Amino acid sequence: MTTAQDTTVIIDTGCANLSSVRYAFERINANVTVTDNIDAIKAATRVVLPGVGTARAAMLSLNNKALINTITGLTQPVLGVCLGMQLLTTQSTERGGDTNDCRCLGLIDTAIGELDSQGLPLPHMGWNQITTTAHPLFNGIAPGSYVYFVHSYRAPISQYTIASSQYGEPFSAAIAKDNFMGVQFHPEKSAAIGAQILKNFMKMTSNSLNPQRSEVAQ
């Protein structure tokens, strides 16, 4: 249930197909704003971090917009989508022509590497099944549900994995730590399953992820 003060911001990273993400939220009747305004991002009830392209280009864009410190300081629910998920990690081998690995936001202690497809075509593109955990992002999502992927890099299976999939090797379809969570797949392209995941995210607030904070507020 939302209130008049309930706001959801999609960060204008400068390197994402913002329209498709915004339309996906609008299809579930969510009121979302696309902006790179720092005050609006800090004040939002929840934040979406989208991204397409290379990690290095995305991080450069965030740096140019002076958004890195803002994002790393957020305490409300934050959802990274596709490349946005990868940016939540410590680093990526998707170097974008550089010789060094790309430093990411460092919010979830895992790193991005090239997907070992074991001979299957890359990028991994199309529908694939996910195995989920009890994380609230996947409430009502049956094991083995299909979602839509387009990627050549992945986060490995780790303690931060909240959903997994397999394409050659097992990999993290979603990761989370505290208020930060990310999905490797495209919920905006994943039909009813993707819509349910976005609805689940829209129910999250800082208090719902931190019951102790809610008790103090009372």
Side-chain angles (χ1 to χ4, degrees):
M1 195 74 179
T2 60
T3 67
Q5 291 76 38
D6 188 291
T7 57
T8 301
V9 164
I10 300 172
I11 298 178
D12 182 358
T13 59
C15 57
N17 185 356
L18 299 170
S19 295
S20 63
V21 177
R22 184 179 77 245
Y23 293 153
F25 278 98
E26 291 175 348
R27 285 196 297 270
I28 62 170
N29 297 316
N31 183 17
V32 294
T33 301
V34 177
T35 185
D36 58 7
N37 180 274
I38 290 174
D39 291 335
I41 295 168
K42 288 181 176 179
T45 307
R46 61 195 69 80
V47 174
V48 180
L49 177 65
V52 296
T54 68
R56 187 168 301 281
M59 287 301 297
L60 179 61
S61 180
L62 292 179
N63 185 64
N64 290 341
K65 287 173 174 275
L67 288 173
I68 291 178
N69 288 340
T70 297
I71 296 170
T72 56
L74 295 176
T75 58
Q76 62 269 64
V78 178
L79 176 65
V81 176
C82 195
L83 179 61
M85 182 207 84
Q86 298 184 4
L87 297 181
L88 299 176
T89 70
T90 58
Q91 64 184 30
S92 173
T93 60
E94 191 176 19
R95 301 182 180 96
D98 203 312
T99 56
N100 299 315
D101 290 349
C102 174
R103 182 180 177 185
C104 297
L105 294 168
L107 292 162
I108 301 179
D109 191 16
T110 188
I112 303 300
E114 188 168 6
L115 177 65
D116 180 6
S117 66
Q118 298 185 21
L120 295 172
L122 286 175
H124 170 212
M125 182 166 61
W127 296 88
N128 205 344
Q129 291 177 290
I130 55 173
T131 300
T132 61
T133 66
H135 192 280
L137 192 63
F138 295 105
N139 285 347
I141 304 299
S145 293
Y146 282 85
V147 293
Y148 193 85
F149 290 91
V150 182
H151 66 118
S152 297
Y153 290 79
R154 75 351 172 208
I157 301 294
S158 72
Q159 68 188 92
Y160 304 107
T161 301
I162 58 171
S164 61
S165 188
Q166 182 159 342
Y167 186 77
E169 67 169 334
F171 64 90
S172 292
I175 57 177
K177 181 184 179 184
D178 302 326
N179 58 307
F180 295 96
M181 63 207 85
V183 293
Q184 180 60 68
F185 53 88
H186 289 268
E188 76 277 12
K189 297 179 180 179
S190 297
I193 298 300
Q196 182 60 53
I197 290 168
L198 296 183
K199 288 177 183 178
N200 290 341
F201 178 67
M202 289 298 299
K203 295 176 182 177
M204 296 182 189
T205 65
S206 296
N207 287 340
S208 73
L209 292 179
N210 187 347
Q212 290 79 14
R213 182 182 301 170
S214 180
E215 291 172 6
V216 171
Q218 293 175 4

